[in-house]
């Protein structure tokens, strides 16, 4: 059993569309497929939208809330209403647990609801077959953004290069050599293994996911796959990139609507700082210094933006 896991936050329509899209693209797949949706929205409106879209097989209580089993064109779907917005990691951990307890899932695909399959079919069997190679845990496909630029795979970046130097040099950071910038995208893929793939869509055997303790629950948003990749590497597992499977990341605006640029940047920084401190040995002093650099960068960026707007008015 292969289970797609969604964590939804006030984007029920996008989740419904994505599920329908995956079903269409998986019709020819020999794999047995199911879905788990964890609704992190808290408000009832989003849950009602998700629930009313499908016929109900059963309703039960699970972990203090409602768990509904649905029939979606012959596929099983479990919809669970979370009692709080616990974040991406905890939400997906709950989804994985439900998949194991109620569906007996062998493989999990963690996916955002803003992905489109570019191939005629979503070749999940290709992804599953890749995990049969020695020590392979995570498998990720080719993902491009709306601009056509690749978003997979990634290498591990030094903390100061990832967060310090670029921001320290702003607004002159554009003159830095590429290897000294914050980017961690591995643009010229040569061979596997890679350090990590994008968290928007990847496959992992459930037993391995549970073996390493699932997603670290201490980050709310961002860096979940970064931490998971490190935990797997420390256990001797590797990540493989499969460029033969193609998806488009049609970036959702949900995060942008709820967090402005500064808040998104600081939220990502705090999550990645947690990773660097707890999994990569970076000291609290280093993190404090870089945090000050980042706050200074945000201030300088706002000043530059105001100056540009003044020149436009002249």
């Amino acid at each position: 059993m292969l289970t797609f896991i969604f964590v939804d936050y006030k984007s029920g329509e996008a989740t419904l569309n994505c599920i329908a899209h995956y079903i269409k693209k998986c019709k020819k797949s020999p794999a047995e497929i199911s879905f788990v949706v964890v609704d992190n929205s808290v408000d009832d409106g989003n849950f009602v939208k998700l629930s009313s879209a499908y016929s109900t097989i059963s309703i039960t209580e699970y972990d203090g809330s409602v768990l509904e089993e649905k029939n979606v064109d012959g596929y099983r779907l479990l919809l669970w209403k979370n009692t709080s917005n616990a974040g991406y990691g905890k939400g997906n951990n709950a989804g994985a647990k439900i998949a194991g307890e109620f569906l007996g899932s062998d493989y999990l695909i963690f996916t955002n609801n803003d992905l489109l399959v570019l191939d005629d079919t979503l070749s999940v069997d290709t992804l599953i077959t890749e995990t049969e190679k020695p020590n392979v845990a995570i498998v990720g496909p080719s993902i491009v953004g709306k601009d056509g630029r690749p978003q997979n795979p990634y290498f591990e970046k030094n903390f100061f290069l990832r967060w310090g130097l670029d921001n320290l040099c702003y607004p002159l950071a554009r003159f830095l050599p590429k290897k000294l910038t914050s980017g961690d995208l591995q643009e010229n893929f040569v061979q596997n293994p890679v350090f990590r793939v994008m968290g928007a869509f990847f496959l992992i055997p459930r037993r391995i996911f549970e073996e390493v303790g699932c997603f670290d629950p201490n980050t709310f948003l961002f860096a979940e796959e970064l931490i998971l990749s490190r935990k797997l590497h420390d256990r001797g597992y590797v990540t493989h990139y499969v460029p033969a499977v193609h998806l488009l990341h049609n970036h959702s605006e949900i995060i942008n609507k709820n967090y402005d640029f500064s808040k998104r940047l600081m939220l990502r920084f705090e999550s990645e700082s947690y990773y660097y401190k707890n999994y990569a040995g970076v000291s609290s002093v280093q993190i404090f210094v870089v945090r000050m650099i980042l706050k200074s960068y945000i201030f300088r960026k706002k000043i530059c933006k105001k100056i540009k707007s003044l020149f436009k008015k002249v």
Side-chain angles (χ1 to χ4, degrees), residues 126 128-137 192 237-238 240 242:
T126 298
I128 290 173
T129 299
E130 194 71 17
T131 66
E132 296 171 0
K133 295 179 180 179
N135 302 319
V136 175
N192 283 309
Y237 291 109
V238 295
H240 274 202
V242 180

Side-chain angles (χ1 to χ4, degrees), residues 88-89 93 138 156 195-197 199 202 204 209 212-235 239 267-280:
Y88 184 84
N93 286 347
I138 288 179
E156 189 171 23
F195 175 61
R196 72 174 179 93
V197 292
F202 69 86
I204 184 171
F209 183 68
V212 297
C214 308
F215 286 115
D216 189 312
N218 292 300
T219 59
F220 181 80
L221 188 64
F222 302 123
E224 296 86 2
E225 71 274 22
L226 179 62
I227 295 170
L228 182 62
S229 295
R230 171 50 57 198
K231 289 165 70 175
L232 289 163
H233 288 191
D234 290 347
R235 292 280 189 109
T239 296
L267 187 57
R268 182 180 290 277
F269 172 75
E270 296 302 340
S271 293
E272 290 198 15
S273 293
Y274 174 83
Y275 160 75
Y276 280 106
K277 180 180 179 181
N278 292 279
Y279 293 91

